[in-house]
Structure formats: C-alpha cells, structure tokens
Amino acid sequence: MNNKSAIIGGILLLLAALAALAPYFAGIKAEASLRADHEIMASEMVVPGLTITLDSYQRGYLASEAVTAITYTSGAENAQPLRFELLHHINHFPSPSHGAIASATSELVLPPELQQVAEPFLAGRPPLTITTYIGLTGVETVTLSSPAFKAAIQQDGSSLEWQGVTGNGTRNGDANHITGDLTLPGLRYNHPEGTLAFSDLHYSTAINRGAHELWFGTTKASLKSLQLGGTGESPAFTLNDVHIASDQLERGAVTDTSVTIELGKSGVGEVAVESAIFDMELRNLDTQTVAEIQRAVQDASSSGDESQLGVALFDAIPALLKAQPEFNIRNLHFKSTLGNFDGKLHLAFNGEWNDAMMDNPLEILAMLKADLDIAMSKSLLVSLGQSQMRATVIAMAEIQGEELSDEEIEAMARERAAQQLELLAANEYLLDKDELYTSKIHFEQGQLTINGKPANEFFGEAAE
C-alpha cells in the first residue's frame, strides 16, 4: 500500500513539475514562432523605404511582451521616417479550443502625428488587432480586424466611412506553407470636389516555399466596385466586378506563371467598357535565375541603388534564354463604346544558346518566334487612327508655324487616317471581315510577315 502511495505521489509530483514547466516551454515556442515570422517578412518584403524588425522581446514565466518596429522612409529629401509599432502580449497558457499552447494579441500603434489625426475616428480603439494561436509543432492560426467607423470632417465639409477589415491566415510549423484571407467590406470618402469609394475587396492566397526559397501557389483578388468621381469637367472613373488570379508553378528546374484579369462594366467619362479580359502566362523561366533576380530587386530596394538591378537583369539573360522561355497572351479582349478588340500573342525563344550571342543581338533575335492575331472593330481602329493623326497634324503645324482651328485639325486627321486605313486594307495588311479588321503577324528567323506578306513591303507602302 505504501509502495502504491509512493508511485501515485511520484506521478503527481511529475505532473505538477510538467505543469510548472509548461508555461516556460510555451514561452520558448512562442518566441521562436514570432522570430520566424519576422525572418519571413525581412526576406520577402520588397517595399522601398520599409523595414520591419523585432525591436524587443521580454520573456516572462506566464507571459511575454514584445515590440515590432515598422519604419517607413519616403526617400524624399529631408524626409523623416515614420515609425509604427506592433505591441505583442504573449500568453503562455494553452487554448484547447484552438489547439494552441500559447497565444498572442498584437495591437498597432500609430506615430503620434498620425494618432492625433486618427483619434476622432478610432475613439481609443487600436487601428488593427491581430490574434495569433501557436500550436505545439509551431503551427500558427491568425485572425485580424480593424474597427469600422463613420465620421464627418469639419475642416473641409467632407465625410469618411470605413467598414473595417477582417482576415485570417495559417502558417505551418516549418514556415513553408502559408494561407491567407482578407476582406475589406468598403470605404467611402465624400469631398466637395469629388468622391472616392470601393466595396467588397477580397484577397486570398495559398503558397508553398519551393526551390531557391521562392514561393509557389495561387493568389486571388476581387473587387465589387471602385468609384472615383470628380466635379465639373473631371471625368468619373469606375471599375466593377474585377477578378484577378495568379498562379506560380514549380516544374522541375523551371517556373510557370499565369495571370488572369477580368473586368465588368467600367469606364472613364464617356468611354465605357462593357467587359474586358487579360489572360497571360510565362513558361520555362529558369527558377534559379528568377530567385537571383528577386534577390537583386530586394538588394536594390534596400540600398537605393537601382543601377545594380540593371546589371543583374543583364547578367540573367543567358540563363533565362537557355531555358527557352515562352510568353503567351492567351486572351486579350475588351468590348467598349468605341468598339471591340480581340487578340492573342505567342512569343518563344527556340534554339541552342551560346554565350557568344551576347555580343551579337541579331543572333538572339533569330531565336525569337512570334505570332500575333488581332481582330478589331472598324470603329475602334478609325478612332485610334484619328487620334494618332491628330497628334501628328498638331506637331507638323507647330513645326511649320501654322495656326489651325479645331475643325481644320479634325478634318485633316480624319482624312489622313482614312487614307492610311484604305492603303493597309488594299494591300491586305488589314483584312476586311464585315464590321472587323483582322490581321495575322508572324516573326521567325528574323523575318516578319503580315497576313503572309513580307513586312518590308508594309513599311515601304505605309510610309508613302
């Protein structure tokens, strides 16, 4: 009986010791997790003038306090840096409902000069609050929020309505898989001279760290509406039903990237776009070279010396072309009040690369194969042609010292544009398809053809 009591007592003492040590180990894990987050931000953030550092960390037994410094310098002469802070309160107690051994609440603190301006809107609330739950394996689950407010600005008679921000994200223990989701319901700023408003902005991502520390995965964004309205002669600018999706895929030693942008009914002033699509992809990009370019961008950003970026890009040409990259615009479409446009483009570098080609750009050009297909409403092409000729007429009149009325400029531009289009159509560089003009342009082995005709004829006749 005594032995059983001793065993039970020993077990209880062991459990008590483990319970006593749990907050200590939870604190170690929480600190490691926070420092890993800062390492990711330091290596991935590419914003000129912006630095994010863990300024201090005071680890205690049951809780810890930390400060993240976010400093931005505009780069303008004599500009003073703006310092934002994230104040972290880390709790070393477990949260069974979130499967966490520790948690942290972080609040954004504005610089004094901005805090004074923001206080009437925030009413003592932090502009951003982030809650992080940290699992035993280092997995993080994050939620963030920004308070909504609505207020009048007495100084200029304007008003501001902000519907807040909500978001969530995850990061695995190895810090090589991240997901995120962010929603901004809307903002409206009314001013006597105009209005700025947007609604239902949404962003999501799911990415994985791959070769050479690059991130691969999918990112999506959508926007219900954006309005920028002026007064008087200032045109209103509107965007509606915007959808953007990008994918970056690691495929062996190369990377493929695609971007799709879709746009609903939008416009500037009297020019309205009913719909638009831009769908492109880059294939066969040498992954190691892409990583080196990204690092060069980061170095140029941090040092402020953009010349080194140009050198890095030039040095990257051989490795990029050896992988035989391809660029495709799979679909470029828009439908507007001026007319419609549809186009496709394919560019590919074929053939064996040798370093001697860097001394002879024509040999590099000989590797290029390109195909462009376009179909354009006649009304749109006429409008574009007249706009180009209008600029030419004005420039020539200035050179010759002539004074032309607006009516004379329009008449001359209309006549010259019509002559140019008639010449192109007569020589089949533009093919007449009912209400459309179409054209197929092909480039290979240094030779350019338009609808099967050599381009040298095109340039000679177009110049006449």
Side-chain angles (χ1 to χ4, degrees):
M1 192 71 175
N2 290 336
N3 289 338
K4 289 183 178 180
S5 298
I7 292 172
I8 293 173
I11 292 174
L12 292 175
L13 286 173
L14 178 60
L15 291 175
L18 291 175
L21 289 173
Y24 175 78
F25 287 112
I28 293 176
K29 195 68 178 178
E31 181 177 354
S33 184
L34 187 60
R35 292 189 182 279
D37 290 339
H38 283 75
E39 289 176 3
I40 292 174
M41 288 187 288
S43 63
E44 302 298 332
M45 191 66 65
V46 188
V47 178
L50 182 68
T51 59
I52 301 176
T53 58
L54 186 59
D55 198 50
S56 66
Y57 197 103
Q58 301 296 324
R59 179 151 54 90
Y61 174 58
L62 299 178
S64 299
E65 303 291 333
V67 177
T68 296
I70 305 169
T71 307
Y72 175 73
T73 306
S74 66
E77 187 176 357
N78 299 322
Q80 296 299 313
L82 284 174
R83 177 186 168 98
F84 301 80
E85 291 184 344
L86 271 176
L87 303 183
H88 310 282
H89 176 75
I90 300 106
N91 190 331
H92 299 174
F93 285 100
S95 175
S97 61
H98 294 88
I101 61 170
S103 61
T105 300
S106 308
E107 295 183 350
L108 180 65
V109 178
L110 301 177
E113 57 270 35
L114 294 183
Q115 181 63 36
Q116 185 177 0
V117 175
E119 183 55 31
F121 307 105
L122 297 174
R125 298 170 296 178
L128 180 68
T129 301
I130 304 171
T131 304
T132 305
Y133 294 96
I134 304 161
L136 180 62
T137 61
V139 173
E140 286 187 1
T141 303
V142 178
T143 61
L144 61 85
S145 63
S146 174
F149 58 79
K150 183 177 182 180
I153 304 174
Q154 301 299 328
Q155 294 90 331
D156 57 8
S158 59
S159 63
L160 179 64
E161 180 181 1
W162 170 247
Q163 296 181 25
V165 177
T166 59
N168 59 76
T170 63
R171 194 211 74 188
N172 71 350
D174 295 329
N176 57 22
H177 177 69
I178 295 175
T179 67
D181 196 285
L182 189 68
T183 299
L184 285 72
L187 174 144
R188 187 171 190 87
Y189 174 64
N190 293 317
H191 189 273
E193 296 184 359
T195 298
L196 169 65
F198 73 81
S199 65
D200 295 332
L201 175 60
H202 186 77
Y203 171 89
S204 64
T205 188
I207 54 177
N208 299 285
R209 192 191 299 271
H212 307 287
E213 299 299 303
L214 289 178
W215 291 92
F216 300 88
T218 300
T219 298
K220 295 181 180 179
S222 63
L223 176 68
K224 183 63 177 177
S225 68
L226 171 65
Q227 176 188 353
L228 179 59
T231 58
E233 297 181 356
S234 300
F237 174 78
T238 59
L239 288 176
N240 291 293
D241 298 321
V242 181
H243 296 274
I244 303 173
S246 67
D247 289 286
Q248 187 154 310
L249 172 67
E250 182 179 15
R251 186 168 54 83
V254 297
T255 295
D256 296 340
T257 300
S258 65
V259 177
T260 302
I261 303 173
E262 298 183 30
L263 186 66
K265 189 173 183 179
S266 306
V268 178
E270 297 180 356
V271 179
V273 175
E274 294 295 326
S275 62
I277 299 174
F278 175 72
D279 181 11
M280 60 79 67
E281 68 171 350
L282 281 165
R283 292 177 54 82
N284 301 335
L285 295 178
D286 182 72
T287 303
Q288 181 176 343
T289 306
V290 171
E292 291 171 355
I293 292 174
Q294 180 172 297
R295 285 193 292 271
V297 171
Q298 293 172 328
D299 292 342
S301 174
S302 60
S303 67
D305 182 7
E306 296 184 357
S307 62
Q308 61 181 321
L309 178 58
V311 173
L313 292 175
F314 182 80
D315 291 342
I317 290 175
L320 289 174
L321 295 186
K322 283 178 183 178
Q324 299 186 338
E326 295 182 26
F327 173 68
N328 291 314
I329 297 180
R330 296 178 289 198
N331 188 10
L332 175 57
H333 160 84
F334 68 83
K335 181 180 181 182
S336 73
T337 51
L338 296 177
N340 304 339
F341 178 91
D342 287 279
K344 293 181 180 181
L345 172 66
H346 177 251
L347 298 176
F349 281 88
N350 300 315
E352 294 296 326
W353 170 267
N354 66 77
D355 292 337
M357 290 181 175
M358 292 296 290
D359 298 324
N360 188 353
L362 291 178
E363 290 190 33
I364 299 177
L365 193 61
M367 294 178 65
L368 176 64
K369 179 181 178 182
D371 287 283
L372 172 64
D373 291 357
I374 59 173
M376 187 183 308
S377 297
K378 292 180 179 178
S379 58
L380 177 60
L381 190 55
V382 168
S383 177
L384 294 175
Q386 288 183 192
S387 178
Q388 180 185 11
M389 287 301 175
R390 187 182 301 114
T392 302
V393 169
I394 293 172
M396 292 300 297
E398 290 178 351
I399 292 173
Q400 297 172 6
E402 296 183 50
E403 292 188 7
L404 301 175
S405 67
D406 291 342
E407 290 78 10
E408 289 174 322
I409 293 173
E410 288 300 319
M412 294 177 67
R414 186 165 51 250
E415 180 182 0
R416 292 190 179 188
Q419 291 174 348
Q420 190 73 22
L421 290 177
E422 287 176 5
L423 179 63
L424 294 174
N427 287 279
E428 298 183 347
Y429 296 122
L430 289 176
L431 301 182
D432 192 331
K433 303 285 187 180
D434 297 325
E435 295 300 316
L436 298 174
Y437 280 124
T438 67
S439 188
K440 291 182 179 290
I441 300 172
H442 177 75
F443 181 87
E444 189 172 7
Q445 295 294 319
Q447 300 299 314
L448 179 67
T449 61
I450 303 174
N451 293 327
K453 302 187 69 174
N456 59 325
E457 296 181 16
F458 165 72
F459 289 118
E461 293 166 356
E464 294 178 1

